[in-house]
Amino acid sequence: MSYEVVDHESDIGVIVYGKTYEELFSNAVYAMADLIVDVSRLKENRKMHEVITGKTPEDIMVNLLSRVLFYLDTYYILYYRITSKYSDGELDAYFYGSEIPEGIEYRNVIKAVTYSDLAVKPEEGYAKIIFDL
């Protein structure tokens, strides 16, 4: 499993696993999407490219996941898979996802990605992210 859910007061958190920044970012996108809906029920029919920037890997993580939430909230498209290349301060990413089908059951409604307890540590094999419900 690429992630596990962790309890966090009134919010929800995940620990994602990976040995590179790219693996951690990819697994974080999947984990957040899977917290929102059962992604195994989605058919991949959307693709886009974006470059996500930030001063630190933690900034990039928040910005990346916030973009995924933006597309869900604005266009009802949930991106749940990415391929990417990370270099200092920049993540060049291709996003793959699906329009949200009518009648799908939501597992959680995530309002925002937070900096609370945020950690992005590929050298230790994990990242921790807390979401505001």
Side-chain angles (χ1 to χ4, degrees), residues 43-82:
K43 290 188 178 189
E44 192 173 290
N45 60 15
R46 290 288 183 260
K47 178 182 176 182
M48 74 164 186
H49 173 257
E50 281 199 22
V51 176
I52 308 295
T53 61
K55 292 182 179 180
T56 66
E58 290 78 12
D59 289 337
I60 290 174
M61 181 69 80
V62 169
N63 294 341
L64 169 67
L65 297 175
S66 295
R67 284 306 281 167
V68 172
L69 286 177
F70 168 79
Y71 280 98
L72 175 62
D73 292 342
T74 306
Y75 302 108
Y76 303 104
I77 297 171
L78 181 59
Y79 291 102
Y80 53 87
R81 184 172 72 85
I82 67 166

Side-chain angles (χ1 to χ4, degrees), residues 98-112:
S98 170
E99 293 177 358
I100 297 295
E102 201 170 302
I104 196 163
E105 185 176 328
Y106 282 80
R107 293 175 166 173
N108 296 285
V109 176
I110 295 176
K111 295 179 189 174

